[in-house]
Amino acid sequence: MNPPHASQPPQAPEPPRPPRPPVDRATAAACGADIRLHLVAGHMGEIPVSAQLTYTQADPYAVRLHCLTGPSTTVTWVLDRASLRSGLRRVSGLGDVVISPGPGSGSLSITLGSGPGAALLRAEAEEIRGFLRLTEHVVPYGAEGRHLDIDDLIARLRGAP
């Protein structure tokens, strides 16, 4: 007696995949992380804010902080990666973005804006450290200048195609 065997239906050939668009070397590497932020609201306490940090090789000096401010509204702030890193240890940043160690060693304060309308956000320092470690895999500290396309930057500043 022959052993039973399962018959397999004939498989259709896999459809050809569309060609991949060319990869722009400058934007090929990026990272992001969801983080927990809290808006410090004075006597009202703290209000949780959904946020994400993103970093790309194409803009190696900048970190983007995307804060969800409404059901479909996001506000994005551009932070200096070096200031974010040094803000874990001391006051860092200028103008509308100031980053500093929060009360206790476990938090980080981020002030966005200036004057009475400024927003004070509190982040967990370990989440920021973890994100900064991810950015180091994209562009190591000190290597940012090697990832800038100066010709493209000049062309964009001049309005050339």
Side-chain angles (χ1 to χ4, degrees):
M1 182 178 223
N2 292 333
H5 62 282
S7 63
Q8 296 187 3
Q11 299 214 350
E14 193 172 304
R17 293 184 182 171
R20 290 185 181 180
V23 175
D24 179 357
R25 174 179 76 67
T27 59
C31 65
D34 292 328
I35 61 167
R36 294 172 296 206
L37 287 180
H38 298 277
L39 176 65
V40 178
H43 68 279
M44 293 174 50
E46 294 186 349
I47 301 166
V49 176
S50 295
Q52 183 182 49
L53 291 170
T54 59
Y55 179 78
T56 67
Q57 190 180 65
D59 196 358
Y61 291 102
V63 167
R64 284 171 174 68
L65 171 62
H66 311 277
C67 298
L68 187 64
T69 59
S72 61
T73 308
T74 301
V75 173
T76 300
W77 285 82
V78 179
L79 313 176
D80 175 61
R81 179 171 75 151
S83 292
L84 187 59
R85 183 180 183 202
S86 63
L88 289 162
R89 297 180 312 280
R90 64 180 182 279
V91 176
S92 183
L94 294 171
D96 285 346
V97 179
V98 177
I99 303 161
S100 60
S105 62
S107 67
L108 179 76
S109 294
I110 303 171
T111 304
L112 302 173
S114 58
L120 176 60
L121 299 169
R122 185 181 59 78
E124 297 299 320
E126 194 50 46
E127 286 185 327
I128 302 301
R129 281 188 198 94
F131 173 74
L132 289 171
R133 283 190 294 271
L134 291 175
T135 71
E136 243 182 311
H137 293 287
V138 176
V139 175
Y141 289 106
E144 293 88 352
R146 289 184 283 195
H147 295 279
L148 288 178
D149 184 345
I150 298 299
D151 293 333
D152 178 60
L153 177 62
I154 291 170
R156 284 189 289 146
L157 291 172
R158 295 171 89 188

